[in-house]
Amino acid sequence: MEVIICPSYDEMSVRAAQEVAVVLNTKPNAVLGLATGSTPLALYKELVRLHKDEGLDFSQVTTFNLDEYVCLNPTHEQSYHYFMQEHLFQHINIPPESIHIPSGTTRNHVAFCDWYENRIKECGGIDIQILGIGSDGHIAFNEPGSSLGSRTRIKTLAKVTIDDNARFFKKAEDVPIYAITMGVGTILEARKLLLVANGDGKAGAVAQAIEGPVTSMITASALQLHPDSVIYIDEAASASLKMCDYYRWIQDNKPGAPKPE
Ligand code: PGA
């Protein structure tokens, strides 16, 4: 697990976007796993800039989003369908048929979740999965107690997540309490995991995920089990880590690190 501490949110986002661009430039038909939330906004802005200014091509890319609220239809402003259109898809050259987001309106959750899992496999598996982290340590909507082997399913959101997300809705009561989410087991099958986190509100969860035990109580700690995971954080989100000097030393001295003149 690589931990990269960046001086600012903007630098964190640009460097994380470069990780995605490297995958897409190496494999133009890559399968990209996407996340929503406030954290990846600048990462998506940078991907859009790379597309517009530097020709980053999405024409052969397939995407899978991590999750969607149950009961919000795609035109609802707080649905993740809407978020993705707004912040990424309408600005890049991805064919609409290559986009996958869990359905918030399916009546048959079990069948839908099975189909989603199978569709990821049919497309060859996810090459790089972007992740945020909740203040309760969740990845996607895998709330504390979610099995580290869990698959795509309907999940009841934790109270803390509902409270965290209430800022996007008119009233706290409007936040849906169910979501369809990829499971931790589904996420761990991606070839590379890229987690981004910023701000002091995430410092505790980040420290538990990176330096705490692997536990279903902090589902982001499952990244410790993955052979190729990279975590980009800003200074504020690094505040509770004990080994910051070590992570910086590794970044400065790893093979291929730029040497000072
Ligand atoms: P945020 O959400 O980026 O809006 O903080 C992250 C998450 O809950 O995964």
Side-chain angles (χ1 to χ4, degrees):
M1 186 162 69
E2 221 181 325
V3 179
I4 301 174
I5 303 166
C6 301
S8 67
Y9 169 69
D10 285 342
E11 182 166 339
M12 174 195 98
S13 305
V14 167
R15 291 188 61 186
Q18 277 161 5
E19 292 268 0
V20 177
V22 165
V23 173
L24 301 192
N25 285 329
T26 316
K27 185 177 177 187
N29 63 347
V31 178
L32 184 53
L34 299 171
T36 50
S38 50
T39 313
L41 281 173
L43 188 169
Y44 292 149
K45 205 167 161 202
E46 176 64 7
L47 287 180
V48 170
R49 192 198 67 75
L50 288 170
H51 169 67
K52 295 204 153 98
D53 296 351
E54 295 178 28
L56 185 65
D57 181 24
F58 292 83
S59 64
Q60 299 177 63
V61 168
T62 301
T63 64
F64 285 90
N65 265 78
L66 288 169
D67 44 21
E68 176 59 289
Y69 290 118
V70 167
C71 282
L72 296 193
N73 64 55
T75 55
H76 190 291
E77 282 188 18
Q78 294 310 328
S79 75
Y80 290 162
H81 282 74
Y82 189 95
F83 176 102
M84 292 309 305
Q85 278 303 327
E86 197 68 7
H87 297 292
L88 185 64
F89 296 146
Q90 66 170 309
H91 307 290
I92 58 174
N93 64 333
I94 185 156
E97 62 276 14
S98 305
I99 294 169
H100 303 83
I101 305 178
S103 166
T105 51
T106 178
R107 298 226 184 121
N108 190 338
H109 299 114
V110 173
F112 179 83
C113 293
D114 278 355
W115 175 83
Y116 204 71
E117 288 273 334
N118 286 330
R119 190 78 194 115
I120 293 172
K121 288 198 186 86
E122 276 168 18
C123 294
I126 292 169
D127 289 298
I128 181 166
Q129 175 67 58
I130 299 168
L131 297 164
I133 182 171
S135 59
D136 64 357
H138 69 208
I139 43 173
F141 275 131
N142 293 290
E143 301 288 29
S146 294
S147 162
L148 302 185
S150 52
R151 312 301 308 187
T152 304
R153 68 211 183 286
I154 186 165
K155 189 80 191 92
T156 307
L157 303 186
K159 184 76 178 57
V160 62
T161 301
I162 294 172
D163 293 346
D164 282 351
N165 291 353
R167 67 189 193 278
F168 300 116
F169 289 80
K170 286 202 184 80
K171 315 190 281 300
E173 303 81 76
D174 293 344
V175 185
I177 66 164
Y178 302 112
I180 288 183
T181 180
M182 277 189 210
V184 182
T186 321
I187 292 168
L188 287 176
E189 283 172 8
R191 290 181 192 93
K192 185 177 183 85
L193 300 180
L194 168 66
L195 187 142
V196 280
N198 70 293
D200 51 11
K202 297 292 173 67
V206 163
Q208 290 189 78
I210 297 173
E211 296 178 344
V214 174
T215 167
S216 62
M217 287 297 128
I218 302 286
T219 52
S221 67
L223 267 70
Q224 296 177 34
L225 300 170
H226 195 280
D228 188 3
S229 62
V230 56
I231 301 183
Y232 281 90
I233 51 179
D234 71 351
E235 293 281 350
S238 76
S240 300
L241 288 168
K242 294 195 184 75
M243 306 278 285
C244 281
D245 290 347
Y246 173 66
Y247 307 133
R248 288 201 170 92
W249 194 86
I250 294 286
Q251 286 308 308
D252 290 345
N253 292 288
K254 67 179 186 179
K259 293 279 168 264
E261 299 288 301

